[in-house]
Amino acid sequence: MNPFARTAAALFLVNGPKSNSPLDAEKICSALIQTLLEDASRNLEARAWQNAVQTVPYQVGRMKLTQTLSCTMPLGGLPDKLASMCTSKGQRPTLAKSIGSYLKRFGKPTAFNCLILDQSDTAEIHLSLTCLDVTEDRNPEKIIIASTQVSAKLKLSNQQTQAAITEAFGSFQATSDQPFYLRAELIQMPTKSSSMEDIRTRCSGRT
């Protein structure tokens, strides 16, 4: 990597069932996008993203994890590696695949912020922010990735939480036609014994 040429990227992703009206996760995402766009000089800084996410009220189970990983891989595998670090083990591989496809547009990103708002369970929102910074070791195939991950839940079944979310974000509409936004739809496909979840991802915006 050229130390004088850095490529930063960012992505907002909302996952949830198809709905005739915007999900709360979509409204929150739109509000955070607007907040980060207010200062174009800082809208790719990890700290700005963390501060924006912190404004969402009534977060429970909030956790912050910072770690540094040393990986040996061809540089062409970097987008998929970063994408896998943004999704939890409980999330479907389709999400990581969609994030990886988005990142491949940037070649070899050296910084990436990814916010996922998962409302696949309509009673709660899982909020996950991952901020990654990539540096190259002396070995060109050895990559050092510094990761800061913030996760929390919003319990929409709690009346006080739902009221606060509605008051703060109720006027926002779902984001559309933006290259930095992905919307994944959770579709229920019933089987004989149980229901199988199939995630169909559509990209809102330009390619």
Side-chain angles (χ1 to χ4, degrees):
M1 297 180 187
N2 183 345
F4 295 99
R6 292 178 60 83
T7 301
L11 178 67
F12 300 84
L13 192 154
V14 172
N15 181 44
K18 187 174 182 178
S19 175
N20 292 328
S21 58
L23 300 175
D24 286 320
E26 293 178 284
K27 295 177 181 180
I28 294 171
C29 188
S30 293
L32 295 178
I33 289 172
Q34 180 173 306
T35 296
L36 288 163
L37 286 176
E38 289 175 356
D39 187 353
S41 65
R42 299 184 63 245
N43 63 12
L44 287 172
E45 292 183 6
R47 177 63 65 182
W49 281 62
Q50 293 165 16
N51 289 342
V53 166
Q54 200 168 357
T55 64
V56 179
Y58 287 93
Q59 298 180 31
V60 296
R62 184 179 173 89
M63 296 179 61
K64 184 175 182 179
L65 174 64
T66 301
Q67 60 181 334
T68 300
L69 302 178
S70 180
C71 310
T72 301
M73 71 180 82
L75 287 179
L78 182 59
D80 289 335
K81 177 61 179 178
L82 298 184
S84 70
M85 294 179 68
C86 295
T87 55
S88 67
K89 294 180 180 178
Q91 292 172 324
R92 295 293 297 272
T94 307
L95 293 184
K97 184 177 179 181
S98 299
I99 296 170
S101 297
Y102 172 80
L103 277 172
K104 287 173 184 176
R105 306 175 192 175
F106 302 94
K108 304 176 183 67
T110 56
F112 181 50
N113 300 327
C114 182
L115 174 64
I116 299 176
L117 293 165
D118 189 341
Q119 198 176 345
S120 51
D121 179 349
T122 56
E124 62 184 28
I125 298 173
H126 291 256
L127 182 155
S128 175
L129 171 64
T130 305
C131 300
L132 304 173
D133 188 75
V134 182
T135 56
E136 187 179 289
D137 196 63
R138 294 179 180 179
N139 179 347
E141 291 192 348
K142 188 173 182 181
I143 305 298
I144 299 171
I145 305 172
S147 168
T148 300
Q149 296 175 304
V150 177
S151 61
K153 290 182 182 180
L154 301 174
K155 294 285 188 179
L156 302 180
S157 56
N158 182 291
Q159 292 184 352
Q160 191 174 15
T161 299
Q162 181 64 77
I165 295 298
T166 300
E167 181 179 357
F169 306 108
S171 63
F172 289 88
Q173 298 299 313
T175 301
S176 62
D177 193 29
Q178 296 291 349
F180 48 75
Y181 176 76
L182 290 175
R183 174 67 164 90
E185 293 175 0
L186 183 67
I187 305 171
Q188 298 295 333
M189 299 178 63
T191 61
K192 292 181 181 179
S193 58
S194 62
S195 63
M196 180 175 66
E197 297 176 348
D198 175 45
I199 295 179
R200 179 181 65 212
T201 303
R202 59 181 167 85
C203 177
S204 300
R206 303 180 295 273
T207 58

